[in-house]
Structures are given as structure tokens and as C-alpha cells.
Amino acid sequence: MPLQTGLAFHRKRQTLENLTLERPQNLQSFYEAVEDALKKIENHLRYVELEYYGVERSPDEEIKAWLPALTTVMGHAKTGILVSKQQLKDVFDLYDRSIGDPTMIVKLDKEAVQTTLEVISKVELYIRHKFKNIINGILLVTSYMKKYCLSFSGISGDVYLETATNYEKQRRELAEAIQINLDDIPVMMDKFENDGIRLTELGSVPRRIAERVECGHMPFLVMFAGACENIRNACIGVRKWIQADDGYSTFIQFDITDLEKKKETDSKLLRDLQVKVSHLDHRLKVCKREIQECVGELKRVAAKEKSLKKHEEQLKTDLREIVMELEMKERQREDTLHESSVLTHKEREQLEKLTSEIEHMRLKKPVLERKADDLKRKLEFMKFRRELKSKRETQLQEVKEELREAKRELRRTESECERLERNIIKLREIHRFKTSPEVLKKLFYNMPLTHKGTGAGGGKKKKGVVIVIPDLPFADSDKLEKATRVTATLIDKDWIPLYRTLPFHPPRGEENLRVDIDDITNTFLRDTLEVHAKQALYRWRRMHTRASVDDLKKALTAIKRKDIADKVDEELSKKRAVKPKTSSAVKFPKVLVQTQQVRVRHSLSNPIK
């Protein structure tokens, strides 16, 4: 026969029993192993039901056969409802005394009492013992489910991690519901034996059976049916868990795709905002420069403006006087011409002189008007510069407000892009954990899922940045690593008794333990006891497939080193501080803006032909 190759291992169908010795090949093979285990549990449950009710009889017929005897005994106990075994204690005591003393005369239907005792014993036997293997089987299944069907997330987190947080809540709720269903089975019997159990405390199946056979006043008769319903509910919970875990990686991939599309959109918006902020920043500088030019020019002409206004007032006065005097002289000339038709020599000279003055004034008036217009234009230019300064100041405030809002929007967009990047990295890590067979190997050996010195995204830890590993379900290996380091530092020469006390699965004999100790001592002969202890604990973690912090603390307590166990608890309870992220200045791309002067020079150097 040819040698068996490694390929045969992957073709072999794994079972739940094999998972104690070998890691799951992949999640699908694990799901198949769990489904096979559930089918075996359900077959076992059907066998127990057949054994309890009988092959030929239905549950209703079996319970109806017990009712007459139980009704008779309840009449002896003078009770109309039987919720506790203690209600029949006096009847049972009287029956025992009558059996011990045959001469004793009692008014009891001994056959009914005997039947009642058999019924109660049968219910107790099946609930206490027949379900034990079934419950242990489901507990084993759930232990593997908790180990391999993980969300790799906490129950709270960013809204973009809603799929991961919802699945973590769902798996916790399912695990809790499964445990409640299993715990309720022995609790039912405890209540019947002590405080009493009511029909309302049982499930829907036993209540329907009680209604059909009219035994609601004796709820313990349907407790077996309630226990069977709890087992089936637990199996349904496991299957729902498997179904949710099977589609988990697909939904995570959908989330990654959606977030990447959103990140692409937000990145484009971020670039547009950076350009907008750059343009607004340029506009702000232009407004400030124009305001400074206006202020400087107004300062330079401030003294000249006063003299111009004074000169303008003087010109206005001169113009008014010239106009008034011109009008007066013209009236005088007209009056002179009107009064006498023949003028004397003296009157003629006065008239010529008056005419000459009028002509002189008429020539002088336009000159004064031009000077007044020039002064007015100069003053209007100064007024325009002042209005321009006021307008630019208003515009400056508007640009400042717009720039402030744009920067605020830019910071929000940058934060959103960083948030998207963090969540995408986290979701990719979760998807990698859910789809990589290497992770199943690490979970099997309780190894850390991430390498030393890497953060959540698998990148190197940046200098000066403290990365906090969240308290997730898969962080147990990190806790065990810390507990191992603390123990190795403090254990000193007691590492040998500690190694002999630690549990191993699969078990290791005394001879193997002695060989391990000799091997460590000889290999690390020149090293310290701390190195010996560290190597021993690492070997224990490698050999023991279920290594945990609790196992280590129990072993420390057993060798009377509870002080180290307390130190481990103290170290694990410490929370690492988060170094706040320093805010960095926003850098904007440089935008080349061509000024008017540059454009003019360019047009002059390249004339249109």
C-alpha cells in the first residue's frame, strides 16, 4: 500500500470528537462536524423519548394511564393541585410505615401510591440522568462554537461596523439562550422537589400536552416533554448560530465594498474642498492687500484732502461772487444803455470799462469752474477709495466666514475619510480572520491572532503612538501571554513544580514531564531561571490545546504561589492609556492664480496677428 499523503487529511470528513486533537480544516468542515453532532444528539433524544413513552404508546396515552393513580393519591393528600413532591411526603411516609409493618391498617390505595412513586422516580431518573449526556454534548458543541464562530468585534463600535457588532450581540444572545434552555432542565426537577413548579413556567409543547390530557394540575407529568423541547430549542439555537456565522464574512465583504465606494466619493469631495479652501485663501490675501493699498493711499492724501476741501470752498465762494458781480454789472450796462440814447464821453468810457470788466469776468468764470471740477474729481476719487476700502472690508468678512466654513467642512471630511479608512481596515481584518485557515490554527493552539508590534490593521506600530488592543473575545490569547510573562518573571525556582501541576490536554505522563524539564534545563543551561520558566510555560501552551489564564492561576494556587496569581489578576485588570492623537496642520495644494498684470504682459508679448 502506498504511503498516505497529506492530501488525505484534507479529504477526511472531520467530526466533533476529532476537533480535540486536530484543528478544523476550514469553517465549512467545522459546520458539517457540528451538524453531524446535532443530528446524533437529536437521534439520542428520540431514543430517550421512545424509551420514556414506549414504542406502542403516544405521550398522551402514557400520561392518561398515570392520571387515575395520581388523582387517588392527591385525594389521600387532600390537595387539588400537585406542584411539589413535598405535598405527598405524608402519604409516602405513611406508605413506607405500612410496608414496614404489615399489621398496620391504613386507608391508602397502596397500588396507586406505588404507581405514583414509580411515575415520580421515572420522571426524576430521566431528567436527572438520561439528559446528562445530551446536555454535555450540546455544551461541547457550544464550547467549540464559542471558540471558532467568532465575530472578532465588540458589542459596541462605529456605526459602519454595525454588521460586526450586531453579529457579536446575536452570538452572545444565542449562546445565552442555549445555556438557559440547558440549565432549565435540572432546575425544573429542583423546583418540583422543593418549592414547586407551575405549568406557566414550562414551554409551549408541555402546555399543549397538559391541555389535551387535562393534567394542568399536575405539571410534573409534562416536565419530560418540556426538557425535550428545551433540547430541541438549544439545537435550533446552534443552527441559527451556524447560519449567521456562515453568512457573516459575505456581509462583511458587502460592507467593505460600500465603504470603499463612500471613501472614493468622500476623497473626491476632499480634493474639491482643498482646492476651494486654497482659492478662498487667495481671495482673502487679495482683499487684505487691496485694503492695505487703500489705507496707505488715504493716509498719504489725508492732509492734502483737507487743503483741497478748503480750496474747494474758496473756489465756490469766488464763483458765487463772480456770478453775482457779473449779473450786477450786466444790469448796470443794460440800465445805462436803456436810460440815454446819446452817451457822453464820460458815460461812454464808463460803459467801455464796464464792458471790459464783464468780459474779464466771463473769461475768469470758466477757469474757476474747471478748477472746481478738478477739485471735485479729486475729492470724488478719494471718496471712491474710501468706499472701495469699506466694500473690501465687507468682502473680507464674507470671505473669512466662507473660508472658515470651508475649513470646517474640510476638517469634517478629513475626519470622515480617516474614520472610513479605520473601519475599512478593521472590516478587512475581520474578513481575513473569518476566511483564513491560518486563523483556525491559531485559535486551536490559543495563539495570538496578530503579530507582535502590529496594530489593528496589521501595520507596524508608529513611534510615539500607543495602540490599544480592544477587549474582544479573541483577545484571550493576549491575556494569557501577559499572564505568562508575569509568572515567568516571579516564579523563580518554583517553575518545575508549576510545570508538573499544570493541566495538559491530551494528557502527558510523568515520564514525558520529566523529559520536558530535563530538555529545558539542558538547552538553556546558561540562562536564568526566568528564561527556564518562560520556555516551560510556552511549551505548556503549545502542548495544552485548552490553555487558559484560569488553568495557570489554579496551578499557581495549588503550589502555594497565590501571590503570583494575585499579581496576574492585578496586571490583567490594568488598562493601557491611549495617547491622544496630535492635531496636524491642514496642508492645501498650491493653486497658480494669474494676476491682471501678468495677463497684460503676456498679451503684450504675444500680440494678435
Side-chain angles (χ1 to χ4, degrees):
M1 179 182 292
L3 293 175
Q4 191 174 19
T5 63
L7 188 62
F9 169 79
H10 296 286
R11 289 177 176 173
K12 182 179 64 176
R13 186 180 180 89
Q14 287 185 305
T15 62
L16 206 66
E17 292 76 12
N18 294 340
L19 294 180
T20 59
L21 302 175
E22 62 185 27
R23 64 180 176 87
Q25 299 165 9
N26 49 55
L27 279 177
Q28 289 300 326
S29 65
F30 174 73
Y31 298 155
E32 293 172 2
V34 171
E35 182 60 32
D36 291 342
L38 291 178
K39 288 179 180 178
K40 290 180 182 178
I41 289 170
E42 289 171 341
N43 289 334
H44 190 183
L45 179 64
R46 283 193 289 271
Y47 174 77
V48 172
E49 285 182 305
L50 288 174
E51 187 180 358
Y52 184 83
Y53 294 119
V55 180
E56 302 293 335
R57 305 175 74 174
S58 65
D60 295 5
E61 292 174 349
E62 183 74 11
I63 293 172
K64 286 179 180 179
W66 296 334
L67 285 177
L70 289 168
T71 304
T72 302
V73 174
M74 287 174 62
H76 295 328
K78 297 180 181 179
T79 179
I81 181 170
L82 182 57
V83 296
S84 173
K85 185 178 178 181
Q86 299 297 326
Q87 293 177 269
L88 303 179
K89 185 175 182 303
D90 294 337
V91 176
F92 292 154
D93 290 342
L94 185 60
Y95 174 74
D96 292 339
R97 288 200 301 272
S98 66
I99 295 298
D101 186 4
T103 61
M104 181 179 177
I105 301 174
V106 293
K107 296 181 179 179
L108 288 176
D109 188 338
K110 293 184 178 181
E111 186 177 351
V113 175
Q114 180 65 31
T115 302
T116 301
L117 284 170
E118 291 175 358
V119 171
I120 293 175
S121 298
K122 183 177 182 180
V123 173
E124 183 177 5
L125 171 67
Y126 275 81
I127 290 181
R128 292 285 191 200
H129 302 287
K130 297 290 185 177
F131 284 106
K132 193 171 183 180
N133 290 335
I134 296 177
I135 292 173
N136 290 337
I138 296 178
L139 289 175
L140 180 62
V141 169
T142 54
S143 68
Y144 283 118
M145 293 289 293
K146 291 177 182 177
K147 186 172 184 178
Y148 295 114
C149 295
L150 301 175
S151 68
F152 303 101
S153 172
I155 59 174
S156 60
D158 198 290
V159 67
Y160 292 135
L161 301 176
E162 188 176 7
T163 298
T165 55
N166 283 346
Y167 175 57
E168 177 61 23
K169 291 176 185 176
Q170 184 180 5
R171 63 182 293 277
R172 292 189 185 191
E173 290 170 358
L174 286 170
E176 184 179 0
I178 292 168
Q179 191 63 46
I180 289 173
N181 275 279
L182 298 180
D183 292 341
D184 193 45
I185 295 174
V187 168
M188 287 190 296
M189 200 65 217
D190 292 337
K191 286 184 177 181
F192 175 68
E193 291 180 348
N194 300 304
D195 302 330
I197 188 168
R198 308 287 177 180
L199 187 63
T200 54
E201 299 176 27
L202 301 177
S204 58
V205 172
R207 287 201 297 270
R208 285 198 297 269
I209 294 175
E211 290 175 3
R212 287 200 304 268
V213 299
E214 298 179 353
C215 67
H217 56 294
M218 292 178 278
F220 82 97
L221 291 178
V222 291
M223 283 196 308
F224 178 81
C228 295
E229 183 187 17
N230 285 6
I231 296 295
R232 290 190 174 93
N233 287 339
C235 293
I236 291 171
V238 173
R239 286 193 172 96
K240 285 184 177 179
W241 192 346
I242 289 289
Q243 183 180 3
D245 193 79
D246 190 19
Y248 180 51
S249 60
T250 304
F251 290 122
I252 290 293
Q253 184 59 54
F254 290 158
D255 288 349
I256 293 172
T257 305
D258 292 341
L259 289 186
E260 286 177 341
K261 289 180 181 178
K262 181 171 175 55
K263 181 189 171 186
E264 185 179 352
T265 303
D266 288 358
S267 298
K268 183 178 180 302
L269 177 61
L270 179 64
R271 291 191 296 270
D272 294 342
L273 284 171
Q274 287 174 339
V275 174
K276 180 181 178 181
V277 168
S278 180
H279 281 299
L280 288 172
D281 191 51
H282 173 73
R283 284 178 57 192
L284 184 70
K285 292 177 181 177
V286 170
C287 286
K288 287 181 178 179
R289 186 171 62 250
E290 290 179 350
I291 290 172
Q292 288 175 355
E293 290 175 356
C294 292
V295 169
E297 189 172 359
L298 289 172
K299 282 182 179 179
R300 286 194 302 271
V301 300
K304 186 177 180 180
E305 185 179 13
K306 289 183 180 179
S307 64
L308 288 175
K309 286 183 178 180
K310 187 176 180 181
H311 194 191
E312 184 186 29
E313 292 294 330
Q314 184 64 39
L315 284 174
K316 286 181 179 179
T317 303
D318 293 345
L319 275 172
R320 282 196 301 270
E321 290 177 354
I322 286 175
V323 170
M324 290 174 62
E325 189 175 356
L326 184 62
E327 290 177 354
M328 182 180 67
K329 289 185 180 296
E330 285 179 347
R331 281 197 300 272
Q332 286 179 0
R333 190 182 66 171
E334 291 175 0
D335 291 342
T336 302
L337 293 173
H338 182 68
E339 288 177 358
S340 60
S341 57
V342 180
L343 298 175
T344 63
H345 179 72
K346 186 177 181 180
E347 289 174 345
R348 194 179 296 113
E349 288 179 353
Q350 289 178 352
L351 182 61
E352 289 176 358
K353 182 181 179 181
L354 187 62
T355 303
S356 176
E357 290 176 353
I358 290 172
E359 290 298 326
H360 177 71
M361 287 182 184
R362 285 178 177 174
L363 293 173
K364 187 178 180 181
K365 180 183 175 185
V367 174
L368 292 176
E369 287 178 347
R370 284 195 298 272
K371 288 183 179 179
D373 290 339
D374 290 340
L375 289 174
K376 185 178 179 181
R377 281 195 297 272
K378 291 179 181 178
L379 291 173
E380 285 180 351
F381 175 76
M382 294 179 183
K383 181 181 178 182
F384 169 74
R385 300 301 289 181
R386 193 175 288 106
E387 290 176 352
L388 179 63
K389 172 179 170 291
S390 177
K391 182 179 178 181
R392 289 291 182 264
E393 287 175 346
T394 304
Q395 187 178 0
L396 179 65
Q397 294 301 322
E398 293 175 355
V399 173
K400 277 184 178 179
E401 184 62 32
E402 191 175 355
L403 180 61
R404 191 180 300 114
E405 182 62 30
K407 285 184 176 180
R408 192 180 298 119
E409 183 66 24
L410 179 64
R411 285 193 294 271
R412 282 199 296 264
T413 307
E414 284 180 336
S415 300
E416 182 67 13
C417 288
E418 291 175 0
R419 176 186 171 200
L420 285 169
E421 182 63 28
R422 287 196 305 270
N423 288 315
I424 288 172
I425 291 173
K426 179 63 181 174
L427 289 174
R428 283 175 179 165
E429 181 186 54
I430 292 174
H431 189 267
R432 179 171 60 85
F433 286 158
K434 290 302 293 183
T435 55
S436 173
E438 187 66 22
V439 173
L440 295 177
K441 177 182 177 181
K442 291 181 178 181
L443 291 173
F444 178 76
Y445 289 110
N446 289 324
M447 295 168 62
L449 296 181
T450 54
H451 294 293
K452 224 173 188 180
T454 60
K460 292 185 178 180
K461 189 188 294 185
K462 294 182 180 179
K463 188 175 181 180
V465 179
V466 180
I467 297 177
V468 178
I469 299 176
D471 187 14
L472 301 178
F474 58 89
D476 292 340
S477 56
D478 296 336
K479 294 182 179 180
L480 183 57
E481 178 70 24
K482 184 183 288 188
T484 301
R485 289 198 302 268
V486 173
T487 305
T489 304
L490 302 175
I491 193 66
D492 202 25
K493 60 183 179 182
D494 290 334
W495 71 270
I496 295 177
L498 175 64
Y499 189 72
R500 293 183 181 276
T501 309
L502 286 168
F504 283 90
H505 186 83
R508 292 177 66 79
E510 185 65 28
E511 181 63 24
N512 288 332
L513 294 177
R514 185 183 62 79
V515 171
D516 290 344
I517 293 170
D518 292 342
D519 182 45
I520 293 170
T521 305
N522 295 329
T523 305
F524 302 94
L525 183 62
R526 298 181 182 274
D527 291 303
T528 61
L529 291 173
E530 180 180 347
V531 176
H532 292 184
K534 190 176 293 185
Q535 293 299 323
L537 290 172
Y538 283 162
R539 182 170 296 208
W540 167 67
R541 290 175 60 183
R542 190 168 62 252
M543 298 293 185
H544 182 38
T545 59
R546 301 175 184 174
S548 65
V549 177
D550 291 336
D551 291 339
L552 181 58
K553 290 195 295 184
K554 288 178 182 178
L556 288 169
T557 305
I559 65 170
K560 299 181 180 179
R561 291 306 303 267
K562 193 174 183 303
D563 56 322
I564 300 179
D566 295 338
K567 187 67 176 176
V568 168
D569 287 334
E570 181 182 344
E571 289 295 324
L572 293 181
S573 63
K574 288 182 181 178
K575 292 184 178 178
R576 283 175 283 180
V578 180
K579 189 173 182 178
K581 183 179 178 181
T582 57
S583 59
S584 57
V586 180
K587 296 183 179 179
F588 306 112
K590 292 184 179 179
V591 179
L592 296 177
V593 180
Q594 201 173 30
T595 62
Q596 185 176 2
Q597 293 177 356
V598 175
R599 289 197 296 269
V600 170
R601 286 200 300 270
H602 182 73
S603 62
L604 291 175
S605 61
N606 297 280
I608 300 174
K609 295 181 181 179

